[in-house]
Amino acid sequence: MAYEYNMVVIGAGSAGLVTSYVAAAAKAKVALVERHKMGGDCLNTGCVPSKALIRSASFLRDAKRAQKLGIKKVEVEFDFAEIMERVQRVIGAIEPHDSVERYTNLGVDCVVGNASIKSPHEVEVEGRVLTTRTIVVAAGARPFVPPIKGIELSDYRTSDTIWEIREQPRRLMVVGGGPIGSELAQAFAYLGTEVTQIEDGERIMAREDADASAIVMEHFREAGVNIMTKTRAREVVVEDGQKIMLVECDGKEEKVPFDLLLLATGRQPNGDKVPGLAEVGVKISKRGVVEVNEKLQTSVPNIYACGDIIGSYQFTHTAAHAAVYAATNALLPIKRKVDWSVVPWCTFTHPEVARVGLNEQEAKDQNIPHEVAKYGIDDLDRAIADEEAEGFVKLLTEPGSKKLLGVTIVGDHAGDLIHEYILAMKKGLKVTDILGMIHIYPTLAESNRFAASEWYKAHPSSLMLSISEWLNRRNRG
């Protein structure tokens, strides 16, 4: 059978864009189908707008702490609507990177419309049937809306729709203590909104180590965020025209009033939203996760999937990473397993929390033998000069070995600092290799070397110390 395309990609978010880019670079004929906006969640409702909002909010944080920098007084006036319009301007400035025009120039056929899979080799878009040797499904995920009674009364927002507002809420309730909820809760608090954050677990940012989330929670409280942990949102009611969330906290019911509700309780993969996918035999879980093997093949061999829809790491950078494998595996006879051995991420709160590999709580939960070395950034010269002297760099290593198992950094620009350790783990470098590098003084990056130094202090070479002691004793006569 002759095919019009080597590959049809469904979804133009991070995973779909990279898949089609790689396929076009390999001189394959590829079609990229997108029903809504090029760039997907990351550009339009995720990474880009949230970081733009965080930047504006951080400026207000700095203004409020001006006295720490020796400045008596700083007055700041702002219009919330203008800040939200700036968010849109930032999206617009980055939009050309993901545009139809750019990808058309790269050799990708961009097709606008709803995709429906008719067979393992046929994708229909608005009445047009595209025949293809392979299909890559990269249809992403959507915000999960928890089953809260009366939720329809709240006019709630999610990470997809919060960007539509132009009037600053006086009281914002955030349900969810993960990265999305935490980033937005703190940003709105810096802007002056009264924020209540509800989390049913013992602490926010539960995937991170307890000492990391404790530092972040302290900053949230300083910013005025009312953190309610071990609390479950039960029901939305309206009393005397006021919206109220009935919550259960320590077995007791409380009423928490709010003006705007933001649901940040995770994202649900869109496998169940791709017409025809299940019908052609692709296995999809009840959660909408498209099931794939280590080579990103679905249960239908010529259909692949990558990005948020496969339900593993829901990050832009991991989607792009997997997309390279999806593209090459779909096109080439030799199939490669996706390398998930070194996966980093960062939550862009203040302070930032970045990590790669295992953290301490995971190592304990999985009974993985490990040793911990920790350096406090409160001792770092540059951090002291910047009035950002808090946080830490924590290294996990194999017992009796210089091999890194994972690193967590909490502090200013942690998301940038972690890359030195990402490279070290990827290339199999030892802790002592970091220690042996010259780091520029005074920089935040010195904290990486000092963390390695803390490890070395706990693992001195007894042989080298014995030789040194003997030589020094001899040289004294």
Side-chain angles (χ1 to χ4, degrees), residues 213-334:
S213 65
I215 293 175
V216 174
M217 289 172 69
E218 181 181 348
H219 275 270
F220 274 37
R221 294 189 175 105
E222 287 178 359
V225 178
N226 175 27
I227 304 174
M228 300 181 68
T229 55
K230 299 180 183 178
T231 303
R232 187 176 295 273
R234 290 297 190 189
E235 183 180 359
V236 175
V237 297
V238 178
E239 296 181 357
D240 299 325
Q242 180 173 252
K243 298 173 186 176
I244 294 173
M245 180 70 77
L246 302 181
V247 303
E248 182 183 325
C249 181
D250 289 331
K252 298 179 182 179
E253 184 178 273
E254 293 186 31
K255 294 183 177 181
V256 184
F258 66 91
D259 298 310
L260 184 67
L261 175 63
L262 172 62
L263 300 177
T265 50
R267 296 180 64 80
Q268 181 174 351
N270 284 330
D272 57 339
K273 297 295 184 180
V274 181
L277 189 60
E279 287 74 10
V280 299
V282 172
K283 291 182 179 179
I284 304 170
S285 77
K286 292 180 180 179
R287 289 183 51 243
V289 175
V290 174
E291 298 179 10
V292 295
N293 62 18
E294 294 176 321
K295 300 169 185 176
L296 300 178
Q297 283 176 303
T298 68
S299 49
V300 178
N302 74 300
I303 299 180
Y304 292 73
C306 60
D308 288 0
I309 203 166
I310 65 174
S312 50
Y313 302 103
Q314 293 187 334
F315 303 108
T316 295
H317 50 280
T318 52
H321 175 73
V324 176
Y325 288 85
T328 55
N329 286 347
L331 294 173
L332 301 175
I334 299 175

Side-chain angles (χ1 to χ4, degrees), residues 8-153:
V8 170
V9 182
I10 299 174
S14 177
L17 290 170
V18 174
T19 299
S20 57
Y21 179 97
V22 172
K27 305 303 179 184
K29 188 175 183 184
V30 55
L32 174 62
V33 184
E34 174 53 52
R35 66 179 179 83
H36 189 40
K37 293 182 178 180
M38 296 283 284
D41 297 323
C42 180
L43 173 63
N44 298 291
T45 61
C47 313
V48 171
S50 63
K51 302 312 164 284
L53 180 66
I54 288 169
R55 179 64 186 90
S56 295
S58 296
F59 180 85
L60 291 173
R61 169 188 175 263
D62 287 340
K64 291 174 183 177
R65 58 197 286 271
Q67 288 185 350
K68 286 190 174 182
L69 300 175
I71 300 168
K72 284 187 177 181
K73 187 177 181 181
V74 173
E75 293 184 0
V76 178
E77 292 184 8
F78 72 93
D79 184 294
F80 180 78
E82 291 180 2
I83 287 178
M84 297 305 280
E85 285 301 325
R86 173 187 173 268
V87 170
Q88 296 304 314
R89 288 200 304 274
V90 171
I91 293 172
I94 297 175
E95 201 169 28
H97 302 169
D98 300 341
S99 65
V100 169
E101 291 77 13
R102 182 188 177 211
Y103 275 78
T104 299
N105 290 334
L106 290 170
V108 177
D109 286 350
C110 297
V111 183
V112 179
N114 291 295
S116 177
I117 299 175
K118 296 302 180 183
S119 79
H121 296 283
E122 295 174 303
V123 177
E124 183 178 341
V125 185
E126 308 299 331
R128 175 188 171 190
V129 176
L130 313 177
T131 60
T132 177
R133 182 176 175 274
T134 60
I135 298 172
V136 177
V137 182
R142 61 190 184 276
F144 172 72
V145 178
I148 300 172
K149 185 178 179 182
I151 192 71
E152 68 280 357
L153 301 174

Side-chain angles (χ1 to χ4, degrees), residues 388-423:
E388 299 289 0
E390 60 191 333
F392 57 80
V393 180
K394 183 193 296 185
L395 312 182
L396 264 67
T397 54
E398 289 185 350
S401 169
K402 301 174 184 177
K403 181 181 178 181
L404 286 159
L405 295 173
V407 179
T408 294
I409 302 180
V410 179
D412 197 31
H413 293 287
D416 298 311
L417 297 176
I418 196 74
H419 285 82
E420 185 171 356
Y421 279 110
I422 297 171
L423 179 63

